[in-house]
């Protein structure tokens, strides 16, 4: 049987509590692949993770061949020869925290983890960053991971695509599978652009069915603010849905999906993205190589929205450079 | 495509947060079956469940054809024509609560739900009780569900079987799939009997490999107390593992598993179980009909342990009769 070694940070959190089960049930790496799982979190959380491991033991997960627990000070063990890393843990934005404080806290976390990936993981390791701000956290990690190609680092925007697909399906009163060609551009943030201009419903352009100005003024902000709306309703941030998207993203990366999906990768210049930032776009694999699906056209309005999100990412990059976590 | 209508109580809780995803992904009713899901909880929790429904919308669950939210005062809608009910919600044992208070709180809940199942669900509805004390809650529900055969009610003990299998596998240093013929008898409580005396490892009797008195004094109490140990480690009760077992149990019921599994059903007299209680034993389906697998022998020690658990169930029954939730 095949075997994969996987590390997951933020293992004591709510996203991990769901994601670990998806991984252990075979949904990510396949039902023919055993998983050696390394759970990582800050020292204070480790006793609770021991309880989670007891639950895993009690769950008859026959693909889970081994589980170990590591503090974030033991990345040499946690990342040793791993094939895949889920970087889920991030410092949360607490009340009263400045944006700069947030970038500083996370800059240190993702610099350290990037360095450890470069030092200990397999050179073929694939890394999915879920912890926010995920694009910039991903940029920091890949910049410090020596000997690992930058295009093996990904930041998650598939949750945004799922959110957008559902809302368009609802507006068109069709099942979600009837919505196609809908992808997220830019940053996983309130500036993201869910590109309704190329989206199709039952192979017809959405903009031939729904009013374009309504989509701009209602649909786009709804997707941009969906995370906040979930927090308001649940009293805590998206967990199960984030885990679902993370599992699907990792599965698409691992299985080299030939169908495009939304994910953020280091800019290759497609869709006029500036160099040196991690941007979302449709992405797919062909002949064993991942690449941006670059066949969509954008009108001036769409281009302006995408550009706005690029600008935000450039600002995040500048802030992180000023904090010393990236070279210019 | 096939379709099933499913109600789930305690929908705002941690077990439900996992179980709902298993149901919606097709793990319970099959990957060819759409699910119409009814989420039930106390009124105070419903706003939070709206957040959960937003997450379901955002999760691209293509088998989930509809979701609705109901208060526990609207069981006429929630249980209307359902095919399957997960009764997960129960009143928790709070600090300082007497056992009688707990039985009283839950007696009312499960009497009401049993009556509503009888009044509104399909006569073919299958019900799995997860909320504790699950055996007696199940007994109350089935006793009040007019027109629904008693053998369509089940209480969950598969989690105990999973726990026991893992520990024996660990002791024998084999994968968990090498442990067979291991089943739970009696109550889902600290009196349960995980029957190591018939269990086999690689088709050899466990008691020919491990010391029997050690199994009695160490293994049995460990399984009986496992739930408490998880609570101590996690700071909260088993959720993901309970959901995993609930999904597996429901799948075995729905697909009419021909392989025995641990589950509690109303006593048929097998293994000397007294009438009128809901007891765990190995259970399987043959020719479309569920039945206790009655081919195991028990020595005097095993019989005494099983009898002790029966006695506890009889006491719970007496207490519930005294409270007016059951006829004598």
């Amino acid at each position: 049987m095949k075997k994969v070694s996987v590390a997951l940070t933020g293992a004591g959190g709510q996203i991990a509590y769901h994601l670990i089960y998806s991984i252990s049930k075979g949904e990510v790496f396949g039902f023919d692949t055993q998983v050696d799982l390394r759970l990582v979190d800050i020292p204070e959380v480790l006793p609770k993770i021991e309880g989670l491991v007891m639950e895993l033991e009690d769950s008859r997960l026959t693909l889970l061949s081994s589980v170990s627990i590591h503090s974030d000070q033991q990345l040499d063990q946690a990342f040793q020869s791993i094939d895949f890393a889920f970087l889920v843990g991030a410092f949360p934005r607490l009340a009263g925290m400045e944006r700069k404080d947030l970038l500083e806290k996370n800059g240190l976390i993702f610099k350290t983890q990037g360095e450890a990936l470069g030092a200990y993981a397999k050179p073929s390791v694939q890394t999915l960053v879920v912890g926010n701000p995920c694009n910039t956290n991903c940029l920091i990690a890949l910049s410090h991971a020596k000997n690992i190609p930058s295009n093996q680092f990904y930041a998650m925007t598939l949750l945004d695509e799922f959110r957008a697909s559902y809302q368009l399906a609802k507006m068109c009163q069709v099942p979600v599978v009837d919505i196609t060609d809908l992808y997220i551009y830019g940053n996983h943030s309130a500036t993201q652009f869910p590109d309704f201009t190329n989206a199709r419903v039952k192979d017809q352009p959405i903009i031939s069915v729904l009013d374009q100005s309504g989509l701009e003024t209602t649909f786009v902000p709804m997707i941009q603010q969906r995370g906040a709306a979930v927090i308001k309703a649940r009293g805590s941030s998206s967990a199960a849905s984030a885990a679902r998207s993370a599992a699907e993203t990792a599965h698409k990366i691992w299985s080299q999906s030939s169908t495009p999906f939304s994910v953020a990768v280091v800019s290759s210049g497609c869709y006029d993205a500036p160099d040196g930032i991690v941007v979302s776009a449709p992405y797919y694999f062909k002949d064993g190589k991942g690449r941006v699906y670059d066949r969509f056209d954008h009108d001036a309005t769409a281009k302006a929205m995408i550009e706005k999100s690029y600008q935000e990412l450039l600002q995040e990059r500048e802030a992180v450079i000023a904090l010393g976590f990236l070279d210019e």
Side-chain angles (χ1 to χ4, degrees), chain A:
Chain A
M1 187 173 258
K2 287 185 275 185
K3 193 161 183 175
V4 64
S5 291
V6 179
L8 191 150
T9 70
Q14 281 295 307
I15 295 175
Y17 195 35
H18 283 84
L19 180 53
I20 288 167
Y21 271 80
S22 283
I23 295 168
S24 302
K25 288 196 278 192
E27 294 173 12
V28 177
F29 301 102
F31 301 102
D32 59 350
T33 303
Q34 288 197 319
V35 178
D36 157 36
L37 188 61
R38 327 276 180 87
L39 303 178
V40 182
D41 213 319
I42 53 176
E44 305 88 287
V45 180
L46 301 190
K48 185 183 159 197
I49 297 178
E50 288 176 26
L52 163 61
V53 170
M54 292 171 76
E55 285 211 78
L56 294 172
E57 292 170 353
D58 296 348
S59 293
R60 203 178 176 89
L61 298 160
T62 52
L63 291 173
L64 188 62
S65 60
S66 57
V67 191
S68 55
I69 304 176
H70 309 268
S71 93
D72 59 356
Q73 308 302 311
Q74 302 166 314
L75 296 180
D76 52 333
Q77 296 163 36
F79 288 177
Q80 187 63 54
S81 303
I82 55 169
D83 302 284
F84 204 100
F86 291 90
L87 304 186
V88 180
F91 201 91
R93 188 162 193 161
L94 305 175
M97 253 175 89
E98 297 287 329
R99 174 192 176 76
K100 181 174 160 265
D101 300 331
L102 183 71
L103 288 170
E104 187 162 13
K105 289 279 188 192
N106 282 301
L108 185 57
I109 292 172
F110 287 87
K111 174 176 184 281
T112 306
Q113 293 180 356
E115 287 169 348
L117 285 166
Y120 308 113
K122 284 186 188 163
S124 61
V125 68
Q126 309 269 2
T127 298
L128 175 61
V129 179
V130 176
N132 286 318
C134 67
N135 297 53
T136 296
N137 289 343
C138 181
L139 176 65
I140 296 168
L142 72 86
S143 302
H144 291 278
K146 275 185 194 158
N147 308 318
I148 301 177
S150 301
N151 65 0
Q152 290 171 210
F153 285 80
Y154 304 84
M156 185 172 84
T157 57
L158 190 63
L159 177 56
D160 305 296
E161 183 189 312
F162 283 0
R163 288 166 169 170
S165 302
Y166 176 83
Q167 294 301 333
L168 286 189
K170 191 176 168 188
M171 288 180 209
C172 297
Q173 299 182 292
V174 297
V176 74
V177 292
D178 288 343
I179 305 294
T180 55
D181 294 1
L182 172 59
Y183 300 101
I184 305 298
Y185 292 76
N187 199 2
H188 172 63
S189 77
T191 67
Q192 67 175 270
F193 179 57
D195 179 18
F196 63 85
T197 68
N198 284 291
R200 302 175 84 83
V201 52
K202 293 186 177 179
D203 219 26
Q204 296 298 309
I206 283 276
I207 51 176
S208 72
V209 178
L210 299 174
D211 171 58
Q212 175 150 1
S213 70
L215 287 166
E216 278 175 38
T217 55
T218 307
F219 164 75
V220 171
M222 179 194 289
I223 303 309
Q224 290 174 333
Q225 302 296 334
R226 180 73 169 178
V230 170
I231 291 176
K232 196 176 168 193
R234 284 195 72 224
S236 50
S237 59
S238 307
S241 57
R244 167 92 171 149
S245 311
E248 287 281 316
T249 303
H251 178 68
K252 287 172 191 293
I253 293 167
W254 192 252
S255 63
Q256 302 205 330
S257 169
S258 59
T259 308
F261 61 101
S262 298
V263 73
V265 296
V266 70
S267 168
S268 58
C270 286
Y271 296 115
D272 299 326
D275 284 345
I277 54 175
V278 168
V279 292
S280 183
Y283 196 81
Y284 72 114
F285 291 83
K286 193 178 169 188
D287 303 329
K289 194 173 168 313
R291 58 192 83 185
V292 172
Y293 183 86
D294 60 3
R295 313 258 180 91
F296 291 116
D297 291 320
H298 294 110
D299 65 16
T301 310
K303 279 187 177 167
M305 292 208 223
I306 294 171
E307 178 62 25
K308 192 178 168 193
S309 202
Y310 292 162
Q311 287 302 318
E312 183 184 50
L313 284 166
L314 287 170
Q315 285 163 19
E316 289 185 14
R317 181 170 187 271
E318 285 304 311
V320 166
I321 289 170
L323 288 163
F325 294 117
L326 276 184
D327 296 330
E328 295 224 27

